[in-house]
Amino acid sequence: MSVPAHLADVVAAARVRVAALHAELPRYGLVVWTAGNVSERVRDETDASGGSDLLVIKPSGVSYDDLTPEAMVVCDLDGELLDGDRSPSSDTAAHAYVYRHMRDVGGVVHTHSTYATAWAARREPVPCVLTMMADEFGGEIPIGPFALIGDDSIGRGIVETLRSSRSPAVLMANHGPFTIGADARAAVKAAVMCEEVARTVHIARQLGDPHPVDQSDVDSLYARYQNVYGQHEGQR
Amino acid sequence: MSVPAHLADVVAAARVRVAALHAELPRYGLVVWTAGNVSERVRDETDASGGSDLLVIKPSGVSYDDLTPEAMVVCDLDGELLDGDRSPSSDTAAHAYVYRHMRDVGGVVHTHSTYATAWAARREPVPCVLTMMADEFGGEIPIGPFALIGDDSIGRGIVETLRSSRSPAVLMANHGPFTIGADARAAVKAAVMCEEVARTVHIARQLGDPHPVDQSDVDSLYARYQNVYGQHEGQR
Amino acid sequence: MSVPAHLADVVAAARVRVAALHAELPRYGLVVWTAGNVSERVRDETDASGGSDLLVIKPSGVSYDDLTPEAMVVCDLDGELLDGDRSPSSDTAAHAYVYRHMRDVGGVVHTHSTYATAWAARREPVPCVLTMMADEFGGEIPIGPFALIGDDSIGRGIVETLRSSRSPAVLMANHGPFTIGADARAAVKAAVMCEEVARTVHIARQLGDPHPVDQSDVDSLYARYQNVYGQHEGQR
Amino acid sequence: MSVPAHLADVVAAARVRVAALHAELPRYGLVVWTAGNVSERVRDETDASGGSDLLVIKPSGVSYDDLTPEAMVVCDLDGELLDGDRSPSSDTAAHAYVYRHMRDVGGVVHTHSTYATAWAARREPVPCVLTMMADEFGGEIPIGPFALIGDDSIGRGIVETLRSSRSPAVLMANHGPFTIGADARAAVKAAVMCEEVARTVHIARQLGDPHPVDQSDVDSLYARYQNVYGQHEGQR
């Protein structure tokens, strides 16, 4: 198998974007060593079913210093390697499952960022007590099930949890956050904001109980932010 | 509308200062992604009423890597865009309200810096238990009301809280800090110091109660620092 | 004594690797000032007993800015200096003891990284409540005995503790972590991951009890990760 | 007054060292904005009384980006400015008092580093529960009195506290740490290690009580470290 000729250019562009976005993960302190991964869906506009879409993702076990566009790997949505010198990330099956089952998702990010993972270790959702959290997440950040790597359990847990939430982030139990977005950049932003609010609410909770925000205010902030903020959709 | 010709030079200089000061926010860990904003008042010396003053502020939803002087936007004190390729920050109305109602304020900064925002989430003022806090804030850092974005609520909450305090920083409930200064640099310094003391007092409190500082000592430290410290006013 | 001629090339290559790996310690926040050290075993393939193996290690009390390949020092496995302008690290005896008694260990790292050292100060093992911890450590990170520097106490405590554990990291009581690996890079990775999980589990514990992970799940994750992950052994 | 001709060269060399050492303070996260200062004594070998010694220190209220050798200022040991375009740090009187009363001290550092200042806010000494703390501090880090700036109170509090302790660091109540050393570099190292152990012991304490270290072991570690460690005295 290989990348179809009519997708070569969009795959090449996605390799550049995905490689560059990986640099945001250590920049914001979300990963150490080779942990964490960003992927982006490459839509095959000639196949309306979405079944021919591809994904570009980080190779397994490679240092963040070596993540050039050429080092990225390309898989189909079953997670099979189409192009790349190295094995795809061991989390590729989870990314692929999300792309297969959530057609509007264009980017997926997985990290073990510290504060989000700490909430995940207690299997406790992050409560929505900040206006920026209402803006970005529209409510709490939910906990997904405990799932082992190796089959579709992680992917299924992500999709089921996110389908019943406004949040673009899910904290998989004892594991860490997965985030989604319209493209890889939006999913990276969600990963950055997820850690930021997980950290801020953690710190607020250390010295007492944060003051709750009324659900109607959460709804109002979320509605406004999703419609008004930013210059372009892609920059959200 | 556009920038009046007689203000073109001072606006250009303010663009340079405001763009450069934005780099201090990620440098001191006060912001992630596109959050946070700095503005500066441009005084129209030909109109003693202050009604013709302008403000220079960050555009909405733009990465800190792209904040050149040209990217800054210029508004009047009703928050209407006069010059700029992008929309002004969604917090512009709050900045403008402060400039309209506090004539001596020349700079405003807003962030969601972690420790300050954590105190804001509990709606608990930061008590003055450090000499550096007495120097800079003259007492506790107060909590402002909970206010939704979209009208003058945030601006009014900032102004009412700061008018009854020596502190150049207010923690808006469940939201985050706004700081003011004689110019943008002073407001940025207040934002940096606000997070620093919010963090230090938080950490002190984690293992017990900080030892209080007598009000007379706070007064004495504040009076001295405001009069003696630094080489120039603008470097405070 | 000096480096035998037939080992000159492999020693030179190890100097380059060990010098470069030292840069990872401040990069990941594991050390301040001149604390911490990385060593690598140089195998003498002409002596199957291992008794002629050497080790390359950081000199004592030298700034991380000055750690060039030439600055590294070479010792035999009794810790005696064979080549180098400076004294070997004061922890060399502990490294040498590990190499003498664990023939498969090719790299050793010692730091005082903050969170790992905090668990060590309480003499409390880090419980295995994260999937990434099951992957990398196969269970808890154990506590070694309290031992003074100056004889074989530290080395013996490291070896005895690690022999009864899957973990490549041991937290020496009131002192800090020592980690091992197949080579120096693997030992540095273990030091980075040790601090990461020590920090994440600490933060999880601050607000309650993490949810335990079943031993069978820990076993399954550990077995898979040791066999599958990464492109090459050396990148683990 | 001006710098005597016979000291011009040693003053010039001290300016270079002191300017460079200031860069270590933000590098290790000990200061924000213009806070903190390093000074070094310049010994006048022609006056055995020490009364003609000078000190080189940071100017007041200047950004760390602007701390060139030329920007440093020179004072006598009464804190009077001898050479420099700017006012000396507002903490100069405290530095000068230390140099006048502790003849073997060649360097002084003052910061508001977060964890050390948090212990200072509770007026609680940092207990000696780490081997690295025994090495460097020989016991607990003591608390000095609460003292206002403006006369000799701070300097006297520093000297009285340090004279009854092995520690090169004192935490002035509700204020922050002052550290001393044989030269400015040693005082900077003490400031870095003071924050490091204040932070590590804080974190250890958050989840329970650290295991105490026997006084005889503290004594043994301290004696060894002060005599053996490092390549040269000056690198301690």
Side-chain angles (χ1 to χ4, degrees):
Chain A
M1 294 204 300
S2 64
V3 172
H6 71 285
L7 294 180
D9 286 356
V10 285
V11 162
R15 281 175 174 276
V16 170
R17 279 194 304 275
V18 172
L21 284 164
H22 273 97
E24 303 290 315
L25 304 189
R27 176 184 185 177
Y28 286 109
L30 307 188
V31 293
V32 297
W33 211 249
T34 65
N37 35 71
V38 177
S39 72
E40 190 165 70
R41 182 198 293 264
V42 176
R43 295 188 191 274
D44 182 351
E45 305 289 357
T46 69
D47 174 6
S49 78
S52 307
D53 288 357
L54 306 178
L55 67 87
V56 174
I57 194 166
K58 174 170 158 285
S60 177
V62 174
S63 164
Y64 276 83
D65 296 337
D66 300 328
L67 293 180
T68 58
E70 296 70 34
M72 299 296 113
V73 297
V74 186
C75 297
D76 65 22
L77 291 198
D78 293 316
E80 294 301 311
L81 182 66
L82 296 192
D83 189 27
D85 297 335
R86 294 165 177 274
S87 311
S89 162
S90 55
D91 297 305
T92 301
H95 290 245
Y97 188 97
V98 173
Y99 289 124
R100 285 203 307 280
H101 292 83
M102 301 181 89
R103 292 287 302 280
D104 52 338
V105 168
V108 176
V109 173
H110 173 47
T111 77
H112 297 153
S113 66
T114 306
Y115 286 84
T117 301
W119 289 92
R122 290 193 313 273
R123 303 191 184 179
E124 183 180 357
V126 185
C128 184
V129 295
L130 303 171
T131 57
M132 71 169 150
M133 202 173 163
D135 288 346
E136 301 275 356
F137 297 91
E140 70 174 25
I141 301 178
I143 295 290
F146 181 81
L148 291 184
I149 198 166
D151 61 14
D152 278 345
S153 307
I154 294 177
R156 198 164 52 237
I158 296 167
V159 168
E160 287 175 0
T161 309
L162 291 180
R163 277 193 175 144
S164 58
S165 172
R166 284 170 179 163
S167 167
V170 50
L171 308 180
M172 293 299 284
N174 299 89
H175 184 170
F178 283 82
T179 61
I180 57 172
D183 54 20
R185 183 175 173 80
V188 170
K189 179 183 177 184
V192 171
M193 298 309 298
C194 175
E195 179 65 6
E196 182 72 1
V197 300
R199 181 168 174 248
T200 305
V201 178
H202 175 93
I203 290 168
R205 277 271 301 274
Q206 287 186 309
L207 298 184
D209 284 321
H211 201 289
V213 176
D214 286 348
Q215 185 60 44
S216 61
D217 291 332
V218 171
D219 292 347
S220 156
L221 286 164
Y222 181 69
R224 183 187 174 285
Y225 190 78
Q226 300 303 317
N227 290 316
V228 175
Y229 185 70
Q231 304 287 343
H232 309 289
E233 285 293 304
Q235 286 176 327
R236 264 191 204 159
Chain B
M1 294 202 299
S2 64
V3 173
H6 71 285
L7 294 178
D9 287 354
V10 285
V11 162
R15 282 175 173 277
V16 171
R17 279 195 304 274
V18 172
L21 284 165
H22 273 97
E24 303 290 316
L25 304 189
R27 176 184 185 177
Y28 286 108
L30 306 188
V31 293
V32 296
W33 211 251
T34 65
N37 35 72
V38 177
S39 72
E40 190 165 71
R41 181 198 294 263
V42 175
R43 294 188 191 275
D44 182 351
E45 305 289 359
T46 68
D47 174 7
S49 79
S52 307
D53 288 356
L54 307 179
L55 67 88
V56 174
I57 195 167
K58 174 170 159 285
S60 177
V62 174
S63 164
Y64 277 84
D65 296 338
D66 300 328
L67 293 181
T68 58
E70 297 70 34
M72 299 297 113
V73 298
V74 186
C75 296
D76 66 22
L77 292 197
D78 293 315
E80 294 301 311
L81 182 66
L82 295 192
D83 188 27
D85 297 335
R86 295 165 176 274
S87 311
S89 163
S90 56
D91 297 306
T92 301
H95 290 244
Y97 188 97
V98 173
Y99 290 124
R100 286 203 307 279
H101 292 83
M102 301 180 89
R103 293 287 301 282
D104 52 338
V105 169
V108 176
V109 173
H110 173 48
T111 77
H112 297 154
S113 66
T114 306
Y115 286 84
T117 301
W119 290 92
R122 290 193 312 273
R123 304 191 184 178
E124 183 179 357
V126 184
C128 184
V129 294
L130 303 171
T131 57
M132 71 170 149
M133 201 173 164
D135 287 347
E136 300 275 355
F137 297 90
E140 71 175 23
I141 300 178
I143 296 291
F146 182 81
L148 290 184
I149 198 167
D151 60 14
D152 279 345
S153 307
I154 293 177
R156 199 164 51 237
I158 297 167
V159 168
E160 288 174 0
T161 310
L162 291 180
R163 277 192 176 145
S164 59
S165 171
R166 284 171 179 162
S167 166
V170 51
L171 309 180
M172 293 299 284
N174 299 90
H175 184 169
F178 283 82
T179 60
I180 57 174
D183 53 21
R185 182 174 174 81
V188 170
K189 179 183 178 184
V192 170
M193 297 310 297
C194 174
E195 179 64 6
E196 182 72 1
V197 301
R199 180 167 174 249
T200 304
V201 178
H202 176 93
I203 289 168
R205 277 270 303 272
Q206 287 186 309
L207 297 184
D209 284 321
H211 201 289
V213 176
D214 286 348
Q215 185 61 44
S216 61
D217 291 331
V218 171
D219 292 347
S220 156
L221 285 165
Y222 181 70
R224 183 187 173 285
Y225 190 78
Q226 300 303 317
N227 290 316
V228 174
Y229 184 71
Q231 306 287 342
H232 309 290
E233 284 293 304
Q235 285 176 329
R236 265 190 203 160
Chain C
M1 294 204 300
S2 64
V3 173
H6 71 286
L7 294 179
D9 285 355
V10 285
V11 162
R15 281 175 173 278
V16 170
R17 280 195 303 274
V18 172
L21 284 165
H22 273 97
E24 303 290 315
L25 304 189
R27 177 184 184 177
Y28 286 108
L30 307 188
V31 293
V32 297
W33 210 250
T34 65
N37 35 72
V38 177
S39 71
E40 191 166 69
R41 182 198 293 263
V42 176
R43 294 188 192 274
D44 181 351
E45 305 290 356
T46 68
D47 174 8
S49 77
S52 307
D53 287 357
L54 307 179
L55 66 87
V56 174
I57 194 165
K58 174 169 158 286
S60 177
V62 173
S63 164
Y64 277 83
D65 296 338
D66 300 328
L67 293 181
T68 58
E70 296 70 34
M72 299 296 113
V73 297
V74 186
C75 296
D76 65 23
L77 292 197
D78 293 315
E80 294 301 310
L81 181 67
L82 296 192
D83 189 26
D85 297 335
R86 294 165 176 274
S87 310
S89 162
S90 55
D91 297 305
T92 300
H95 290 245
Y97 188 98
V98 173
Y99 290 124
R100 286 202 308 278
H101 291 84
M102 301 181 89
R103 291 286 301 278
D104 52 339
V105 168
V108 176
V109 173
H110 173 49
T111 77
H112 298 153
S113 66
T114 306
Y115 286 85
T117 301
W119 290 92
R122 290 193 312 275
R123 304 192 184 178
E124 184 180 357
V126 185
C128 184
V129 296
L130 303 171
T131 58
M132 71 169 151
M133 203 174 161
D135 287 347
E136 300 275 355
F137 296 91
E140 71 174 23
I141 300 179
I143 295 291
F146 181 81
L148 290 185
I149 198 166
D151 59 16
D152 279 344
S153 308
I154 293 178
R156 200 164 50 235
I158 296 167
V159 169
E160 288 174 0
T161 309
L162 291 180
R163 278 194 175 144
S164 59
S165 171
R166 284 171 180 163
S167 166
V170 50
L171 309 179
M172 293 299 285
N174 299 89
H175 184 171
F178 283 81
T179 60
I180 57 173
D183 54 20
R185 183 174 173 80
V188 170
K189 179 183 176 184
V192 171
M193 298 309 298
C194 174
E195 180 64 6
E196 182 72 1
V197 301
R199 181 167 174 249
T200 304
V201 178
H202 176 94
I203 290 168
R205 276 271 301 273
Q206 287 186 309
L207 297 184
D209 285 320
H211 202 290
V213 176
D214 286 348
Q215 186 60 43
S216 61
D217 291 333
V218 171
D219 293 345
S220 156
L221 286 164
Y222 181 69
R224 182 186 174 287
Y225 190 79
Q226 300 304 318
N227 291 315
V228 176
Y229 184 71
Q231 305 287 344
H232 308 290
E233 285 293 305
Q235 286 176 329
R236 267 194 203 155
Chain D
M1 293 203 302
S2 64
V3 173
H6 71 286
L7 295 179
D9 286 354
V10 285
V11 162
R15 281 176 174 277
V16 171
R17 279 194 304 274
V18 171
L21 284 164
H22 273 97
E24 303 290 315
L25 304 189
R27 175 183 185 178
Y28 286 108
L30 307 188
V31 294
V32 297
W33 210 250
T34 66
N37 34 71
V38 176
S39 72
E40 191 165 71
R41 181 199 293 262
V42 176
R43 293 188 191 275
D44 182 351
E45 305 289 357
T46 68
D47 174 7
S49 79
S52 306
D53 288 356
L54 307 179
L55 67 87
V56 174
I57 195 167
K58 174 170 158 285
S60 178
V62 174
S63 165
Y64 277 84
D65 296 338
D66 301 328
L67 293 181
T68 58
E70 296 70 35
M72 298 298 111
V73 298
V74 186
C75 296
D76 65 22
L77 292 197
D78 293 316
E80 293 302 310
L81 182 66
L82 296 192
D83 189 26
D85 297 335
R86 295 165 176 275
S87 310
S89 162
S90 55
D91 297 306
T92 301
H95 290 243
Y97 188 97
V98 173
Y99 290 124
R100 286 203 307 279
H101 292 83
M102 300 181 90
R103 292 286 302 280
D104 53 338
V105 169
V108 176
V109 173
H110 173 47
T111 78
H112 298 154
S113 66
T114 306
Y115 286 85
T117 302
W119 289 93
R122 289 193 313 274
R123 304 191 184 177
E124 183 180 357
V126 184
C128 184
V129 295
L130 303 171
T131 57
M132 72 170 150
M133 201 173 163
D135 287 346
E136 300 275 355
F137 297 91
E140 71 175 23
I141 300 178
I143 296 291
F146 182 81
L148 291 184
I149 199 167
D151 59 16
D152 279 344
S153 307
I154 294 178
R156 199 164 50 235
I158 296 168
V159 168
E160 288 175 359
T161 309
L162 291 180
R163 277 192 175 146
S164 58
S165 171
R166 284 171 180 162
S167 166
V170 51
L171 309 180
M172 293 299 285
N174 299 91
H175 183 171
F178 283 82
T179 60
I180 57 173
D183 54 21
R185 182 175 172 81
V188 170
K189 178 182 178 185
V192 170
M193 297 310 298
C194 174
E195 180 64 6
E196 182 72 1
V197 301
R199 182 169 174 247
T200 304
V201 178
H202 176 93
I203 289 168
R205 277 270 303 272
Q206 286 186 310
L207 298 183
D209 284 319
H211 201 291
V213 177
D214 286 348
Q215 186 61 43
S216 61
D217 291 332
V218 171
D219 292 346
S220 156
L221 286 164
Y222 181 69
R224 183 187 174 284
Y225 190 79
Q226 299 304 318
N227 289 316
V228 175
Y229 185 71
Q231 305 288 342
H232 309 290
E233 284 294 302
Q235 285 175 329
R236 268 193 202 159

